[in-house]
Amino acid sequence: MIDTHCHLTFKLLLDDLDAVLTRAHDAGVDRMITVATTPDDARQAAALAGQHDNVYATVGVHPHYAGQWRGRGQDVAAAMRELADDPKVVALGEMGLDRHYDDPPIDDQRRVFALQLETAKALTKPIIIHNREATDEVLAMIRDAGLPGARFVFHCFTGTQQELDAILELGAMVSFTGIVTFSNARSLARSAAGVPLDRLMIETDSPYLTPEPHRKVRPNQPCYVPCVASFLAQQRGMDESEFIAAVDRNAERFFGLG
Ligand SMILES: [Zn+2]
C-alpha cells in the first residue's frame, strides 16, 4: 500500500533510511511520497526519489517556513518549475496556512501560499495543502486563485464536520493520519467514516503522529500506515483489503503514480 505523505528527509528518518524502507517493505507499504517543506528539502526529496524506485517526491514551501522564503519568491517559483519537470516529483506542496502558531506571521504565510498557487497555474501537478485552523481562509485563497478544487488534497485533516463538508464541496480530496486513531478524536473518526470512498486518502505524516496501537513509538514511519487503514476500514465496516485497494487507487489516480 501507499503512504501518501511522509518526510523521509527529516533527520529522524533519514539517519535510519535503509531500516525505515525495509520496515515499510515488510509491512506491505510498497510506495511512499516524501513531501517537501522548502525548496532545498525538495531537492533532497527528489534526489531520494531518484535513488529509490518506490519513493516519490514533491516541491513546495510549508507555512512554517514562510518567514524565510517570503522575500525569495523567485527562488520558490523557480524550484517549483524546475522540479515539476521531474517525473518522480508527483505534487506541489505542502503549502497552505497554519494558525496554530503565530510564527511566522500570517501575512507572510499568505504571501508565500499565494505565490505558490499563482506558480501552480502554469503547472499541472496536484497540490498538497497543509491547513491548520485556517480552513475558511485556505478555501477562499484557492477559490481566488481560480484553480480547480479537484487538484487539491487537504492532508492530515483534523477539522470539524462543517469544514470537511466545505472541502468536499470544493471538490478536493481529504487525507487522514494516525490522529484519527487517537482515543480523543472520536468525532474526527466519525467524520472520516462519512467521506465518500473515492475522495479519501491515508498517510503517516511521519516522523510525527504515530497511530494507535503504537502511539508511544517514536519516530513514526511509513510502516505504520496500515494501522490507519485498518482503523478506518473498521470504522466504515469495510473489509480491510478492499479499503486499502480503494485508497491506493485514489492515490494512484490523484498523484498519477505509475
Ligand atoms: Zn507533512
Side-chain angles (χ1 to χ4, degrees), residues 9-208:
T9 57
F10 287 16
K11 196 172 170 9
L12 281 168
L13 297 182
L14 193 63
D15 283 353
D16 195 26
L17 190 64
D18 287 340
V20 166
L21 294 177
T22 301
R23 272 183 227 117
H25 173 84
D26 293 348
V29 181
D30 62 337
R31 284 169 284 175
M32 54 213 101
I33 300 173
T34 186
V35 174
T37 55
T38 67
D40 299 332
D41 187 33
R43 287 195 181 87
Q44 194 175 11
L48 270 188
Q51 288 156 13
H52 301 276
D53 281 351
N54 60 342
V55 175
Y56 299 86
T58 76
V59 55
V61 182
H62 188 296
H64 288 176
Y65 300 95
Q68 290 155 242
W69 292 91
R70 180 197 60 174
R72 300 168 62 187
Q74 297 296 349
D75 296 340
V76 172
M80 286 173 72
R81 287 189 207 105
E82 170 201 325
L83 288 173
D85 272 344
D86 181 335
K88 290 298 292 294
V89 175
V90 295
L92 310 173
E94 55 186 298
M95 62 177 80
L97 301 177
D98 191 324
R99 280 201 175 266
H100 190 70
Y101 306 102
D102 302 330
D103 181 44
I106 196 70
D107 286 348
D108 289 356
Q109 296 187 34
R110 292 178 65 93
R111 191 194 297 198
V112 173
F113 182 31
L115 168 98
Q116 293 180 88
L117 289 172
E118 191 57 37
T119 308
K121 287 181 186 172
L123 305 170
T124 55
K125 303 224 160 149
I127 301 167
I128 300 170
I129 292 293
H130 173 102
N131 161 47
R132 203 163 169 201
E133 297 164 24
T135 306
D136 290 349
E137 283 170 279
V138 168
L139 289 172
M141 286 181 69
I142 289 173
R143 284 200 191 90
D144 287 351
L147 292 163
R151 244 181 107 177
F152 294 85
V153 57
F154 280 67
H155 112 90
C156 191
F157 181 79
T158 56
T160 63
Q161 182 65 47
Q162 206 179 358
E163 290 169 307
L164 179 60
D165 291 342
I167 289 165
L168 292 171
E169 175 89 7
L170 177 79
M173 304 287 290
V174 185
S175 178
F176 293 87
T177 60
I179 289 179
V180 78
T181 69
F182 296 172
S183 57
N184 59 356
R186 286 293 173 246
S187 66
L188 182 65
R190 276 193 298 276
S191 292
V195 174
L197 190 57
D198 62 347
R199 305 284 288 281
L200 183 68
M201 294 197 285
I202 57 172
E203 56 170 298
T204 57
D205 203 14
S206 51
Y208 313 116

